[in-house]
Amino acid sequence: MERKRGGSRRSYSGGAGGMGGGGRRRKAWTEQCKDYVRNFVAFMFSNIGIIGLVIGYTIAGSFMFMAIEKESVNTRVDQVVKARNTTVANLWQATCCTINLFSEETWRNTVHVELLAFQKSVVNAVQNDGYEGEQLNGNRWSFSGAFLYSLSVITTIGYGNVAPRTEWGKLATILYAIAGMPLFLLYLSNIGDLLAKSFKWTYAKCCLCRGCARRRRQMSTANNCSQATGSDSAGAAEDSCSSRETSASASVSDDDDDPQTVTVPITLCLAIMVGYVYGGAVLFSRWESWDLLDGSYFCFISLSTIGFGDIVPRDDKITSLQGVGLSFIFCSMYLMLGMALIAMCFNLMQEEVVHKFRTCGDVLRRIVRCRR
Amino acid sequence: MRESGGGGRMARGSARSRGSSTAASVRSSNPRQKVRDCCRKLVAFMCTQVGVGGLVVGYAILGAMGFMSIEGHVERPEIEKVAQKRDACLGDLWRVTTRENVFNKTAWQLGAAKALKEFQDGVVTEVRAGYDGRVQGDSWSFPAALMFSLSVFTMIGYGNMVPRTTWGKIATVVYAVFGIPLYVLYFMNMGKVLAQTFRWLYTKAYECSMEDRRRDSDSEPARIIVPSTACLWVMGAYVATGTVMFAEWENWNYLDSTYFCVTSLCKIGIGDFVPGANILDSRSGHQTKLVINFVYLLLGMGLMAMCYNLMREVVRVKMRELKSDITFCFEDLRLRAVACYRRNNAD
């Protein structure tokens, strides 16, 4: 492979050297075509492309699951009806033929056993088969429900309030997850990188009030950073100092001060995460009339991809003009944005934690050496 | 990643300091030195694989006990309500029996069906309000609580058992906050160790098979990269083992069993199939099943980490090859276009 590539490059350079000036236009055309294809591929792997890809994959998955699971709704209603009819037949058999009707106690005991069995089957139908009573069935696999299901599969949240019942649905879930999870990981790493970069830029520009003043100060007193940042606020002073220490030479040699060398403090990342969870809790508790604890429990369980599925927003709270339930869509948007934000926070915290670890190790080593 | 880096660095640092301290202890073996050395060894051990595995298991057991004590003794009014509804249904049926004549089958069955329908609607309402079909104290047994805490910190989240109390919810959140980093540490460590072992085994096997074929030809000492198909075979074999195991125990069919294994190992955890959680056949043996499921899942997570570790390398190499392929392709295309143009120009 390596040899082949080298050979081709050599022959290409020879051909390009031998080519006259008249070939420039056509060469530009091929260049353009190549650039176009390369741009397209780069775009598909860039941020907007990957967002589109994830959303498109989710929408395709939701249509697929809707089509697969449409038939399964009627069968579970039939199952419950069948169980009830069986129970009635059993009771009739017991009442008319086997039991003496004059002892009420015996009759009651027998019927109680029968009723317990019936109750178990009803509980099982509701819990495991998604039976919701006879009048309101079939709304679980609406478009928005299937959308939330597809998203919960590829994000590995897995609420489980909606689960496939048919054989093909289960098979499709396995394949869909195997293909979708790498895609979502790609989304997380890409968007996390992007958000981390933009957040660092914003932090450097706004919170540390960096501009030309900082650069001048940095140029003049690059080695004496404690004095230079003495005028800053106390919290920001240490961070800017440490970041400048770690990359002093690099940022001085740049003509523009690089916001990517700024280290964002860990507490800010934690505050962002807690704030996002709290904001979601307030939002959901207003929509769904949960209390604040339930709301934050839901947000935390969802964003940490645990996803118990005991508390899930109802679909009919927010509806569009056509009557399509939108709250699942809002929930999905909240989740996608939130997971990207968490990826961003981990991205930002990583270097800080490594730095802290190293400092801690140094301090420990110094203490041990001192005592000896 | 950062946890594994931290652990590795700590282990390395302790190894180095252990070497220096053994050199020092030859000179003077004072007790303080010994204690410090002991502490350091303990910390280094806790950051190794066995220590992390033990830490994870201990954390799970601790969590199980905590959740049992929080959730186990909670008053559950819905059980009482369901029992009341059952009694009411029983009364209805008795009334139907006494009112209708026993010899009129259709009338009796109509009345009984109506009573049962009411009862069914009541049960459905209660289940959606949180009734789970278990009696008091049965749901938070020790293996079930162990399974719950595992499903929290591995981020599987089956959802067949959930905390109902306020304190249970808060404890779950706190438990997850501390448990998830610990689990990630386990994942990374276990993945590294298993990947090393597997690579060593694969290299040995490869060398053996090569020696049989061509003993005299000189073998290049290049590092052998485990192909991704080998990882996939291992994963497939693990899933197949789990499939057969759970299908035999739970009387699931093979598709359901595969579905359970894949969704659990991918940490999706939809929770419609959980071993030992079916209320229809609650036999006495389901508690050991839960424990074996626990072991299966922890080992499976380690295997997943191993495959992730090995595949990353392969994927990186493949991506590089693909990239060079594509550039080669483009240059070939361009050359051809240039040649075509020149031929056209010459004509």
Side-chain angles (χ1 to χ4, degrees), chain A residues 58-346:
Chain A
T58 316
I59 289 176
S62 58
F63 276 119
M64 183 180 73
F65 286 117
M66 267 167 75
I68 290 177
E69 290 292 322
K70 198 159 272 179
E71 303 93 39
S72 74
V73 175
N74 294 326
T75 60
R76 48 179 191 256
V77 174
D78 288 347
Q79 267 175 6
V80 175
V81 171
K82 203 188 286 172
R84 202 171 63 220
N85 288 339
T86 317
T87 314
V88 169
N90 285 348
L91 284 179
W92 170 252
Q93 197 65 28
T95 312
C96 78
C97 310
T98 51
I99 307 176
N100 193 347
L101 265 186
F102 299 107
S103 99
E104 188 181 338
E105 204 55 40
T106 330
W107 185 86
R108 272 187 188 271
N109 284 339
T110 317
V111 173
H112 192 252
V113 169
E114 202 67 43
L115 276 187
L116 265 181
F118 177 62
Q119 174 196 325
K120 263 191 181 177
S121 69
V122 170
V123 169
N124 191 45
V126 176
Q127 272 186 342
N128 295 346
D129 295 342
Y131 177 71
E132 288 194 326
E134 278 171 23
Q135 63 276 11
L136 39 99
N137 49 48
N139 59 356
R140 288 198 164 204
W141 289 100
S142 64
F143 173 72
S144 48
F147 188 83
L148 190 65
Y149 175 74
S150 318
L151 193 74
S152 84
V153 166
I154 63 170
T155 54
T156 75
I157 296 177
Y159 283 123
N161 60 333
V162 182
R165 294 298 150 212
T166 56
E167 311 257 300
W168 286 107
K170 284 165 190 167
L171 209 60
T173 303
I174 293 174
L175 296 180
Y176 189 75
I178 287 174
M181 281 181 341
L183 183 70
F184 194 77
L185 281 183
L186 196 64
Y187 162 82
L188 275 191
S189 66
N190 262 7
I191 301 297
D193 264 357
L194 177 78
L195 280 181
K197 268 181 194 160
S198 48
F199 183 76
K200 262 183 190 172
W201 188 84
T202 317
Y203 180 74
K205 289 290 177 205
C206 302
C207 301
L208 296 180
C209 52
R210 289 299 79 115
C212 44
R214 174 181 185 238
R215 196 166 69 233
R216 218 177 299 133
R217 235 184 296 150
Q218 193 176 352
M219 291 287 234
S220 58
T221 62
N223 49 357
N224 197 358
C225 66
S226 64
Q227 198 178 346
T229 52
S231 60
D232 272 337
S233 64
E238 290 172 13
D239 299 301
S240 61
C241 176
S242 67
S243 74
R244 214 174 297 167
E245 265 183 351
T246 53
S247 56
S249 60
S251 56
V252 165
S253 63
D254 276 356
D255 54 345
D256 191 9
D257 78 321
D258 195 3
Q260 298 307 322
T261 59
V262 173
T263 315
V264 179
I266 273 182
T267 47
L268 192 61
C269 295
L270 290 181
I272 287 174
M273 287 199 274
V274 171
Y276 193 75
V277 167
Y278 183 75
V282 169
L283 213 63
F284 281 113
S285 61
R286 183 160 302 171
W287 284 345
E288 304 283 330
S289 62
W290 297 337
D291 58 351
L292 207 57
L293 174 77
D294 274 354
S296 35
Y297 175 73
F298 167 75
C299 293
F300 179 82
I301 292 292
S302 298
L303 290 181
S304 60
T305 73
I306 295 177
F308 286 131
D310 52 341
I311 306 176
V312 175
R314 298 279 305 277
D315 198 20
D316 46 3
K317 290 290 177 179
I318 307 164
T319 49
S320 68
L321 290 176
Q322 284 83 29
V324 178
L326 281 184
S327 64
F328 276 179
I329 306 289
F330 280 133
C331 181
S332 312
M333 280 164 60
Y334 176 81
L335 287 179
M336 281 181 76
L337 188 62
M339 296 188 102
L341 262 185
I342 284 182
M344 173 197 96
C345 286
F346 277 122

Side-chain angles (χ1 to χ4, degrees), chain B residues 78 88 127 140-141 143 146 152 171 214 238 246 265 279 292 295 297 340:
Chain B
E78 63 264 18
V127 171
W140 287 92
S141 63
L146 194 69
V152 168
R214 32 167 202 175
Y238 195 73
F246 289 118
L265 290 180
I279 59 164
I292 290 179
V295 173
L297 283 183
C340 184

Side-chain angles (χ1 to χ4, degrees), chain B residues 69-96:
Chain B
S69 68
I70 291 176
E71 289 283 327
H73 312 293
V74 179
E75 290 296 316
R76 307 202 28 209
E78 63 264 18
I79 292 178
E80 213 38 53
K81 269 190 206 164
V82 170
Q84 275 172 13
K85 279 183 181 163
R86 209 167 49 228
D87 280 346
C89 178
L90 199 56
D92 281 348
L93 281 176
W94 179 247
R95 225 169 296 133
V96 166

Side-chain angles (χ1 to χ4, degrees), chain B residues 297-347:
Chain B
L297 283 183
L298 266 188
L299 275 183
M301 294 291 171
L303 270 185
M304 281 291 279
M306 176 195 96
C307 288
Y308 174 74
N309 225 326
L310 289 177
M311 299 263 273
R312 202 175 42 186
E313 198 175 328
V314 176
V315 165
R316 204 171 291 153
V317 171
K318 281 272 163 61
M319 282 301 264
R320 212 175 299 142
E321 276 180 9
L322 191 71
K323 198 174 164 191
S324 62
D325 255 3
I326 285 177
T327 49
F328 170 69
C329 225
F330 270 128
E331 283 180 2
D332 194 45
L333 204 68
R334 180 198 279 174
L335 260 188
R336 213 168 281 170
V338 165
C340 184
Y341 175 72
R342 286 172 74 187
R343 205 179 309 126
N344 277 355
N345 244 10
D347 284 349

